[in-house]
Amino acid sequence: MIDYTREDFTKTGRAYDVILDAVGKPSFRRSRASLNPDGIFLPTDGLANPEYRPIIDRRYRLEDVIEATRYVETEQKTGNVVLTVSR
């Protein structure tokens, strides 16, 4: 198991039999080079899950878009970051 907050598995030069995307971070395209020839990529959304429910990590006011962007760029988010617009 690799903690994505501490190590980028796509940059280790190792290949894996299974890559389980438990948090929606790596795409298949990005992960493909890290798979063994017979390896499998298992996204938690099942590639096309009709029961998909978005996970909201944090909400920010539109005025705080810079702070929200900085948070997203830390690559620590575990869900979607939402900007709220008030009237």
Side-chain angles (χ1 to χ4, degrees), residues 61-81:
R61 294 177 306 157
L62 182 59
E63 298 83 28
D64 299 323
V65 67
I66 293 172
E67 183 180 343
T69 302
R70 286 184 182 136
Y71 176 65
V72 170
E73 289 173 345
T74 67
E75 298 185 9
Q76 303 296 312
K77 71 183 190 78
T78 57
N80 295 294
V81 172

Side-chain angles (χ1 to χ4, degrees), residues 34-54:
S34 298
L35 282 169
N36 283 323
D38 293 327
I40 58 172
F41 178 75
L42 297 171
T44 53
D45 68 0
L47 292 177
N49 185 345
E51 296 171 351
Y52 172 76
R53 285 179 280 168

Side-chain angles (χ1 to χ4, degrees), residues 5-75:
T5 65
R6 298 177 189 262
E7 180 179 6
D8 183 347
F9 72 92
T10 65
K11 295 181 181 177
T12 65
R14 291 181 276 173
Y16 303 93
D17 293 322
V18 177
I19 296 176
L20 171 65
D21 172 18
V23 294
K25 285 285 185 183
S27 66
F28 173 72
R29 176 179 287 194
R30 186 170 156 243
S31 303
R32 184 178 10 202
S34 298
L35 282 169
N36 283 323
D38 293 327
I40 58 172
F41 178 75
L42 297 171
T44 53
D45 68 0
L47 292 177
N49 185 345
E51 296 171 351
Y52 172 76
R53 285 179 280 168
I55 306 288
I56 297 175
D57 181 339
R58 294 190 184 180
R59 297 174 193 265
Y60 291 88
R61 294 177 306 157
L62 182 59
E63 298 83 28
D64 299 323
V65 67
I66 293 172
E67 183 180 343
T69 302
R70 286 184 182 136
Y71 176 65
V72 170
E73 289 173 345
T74 67
E75 298 185 9

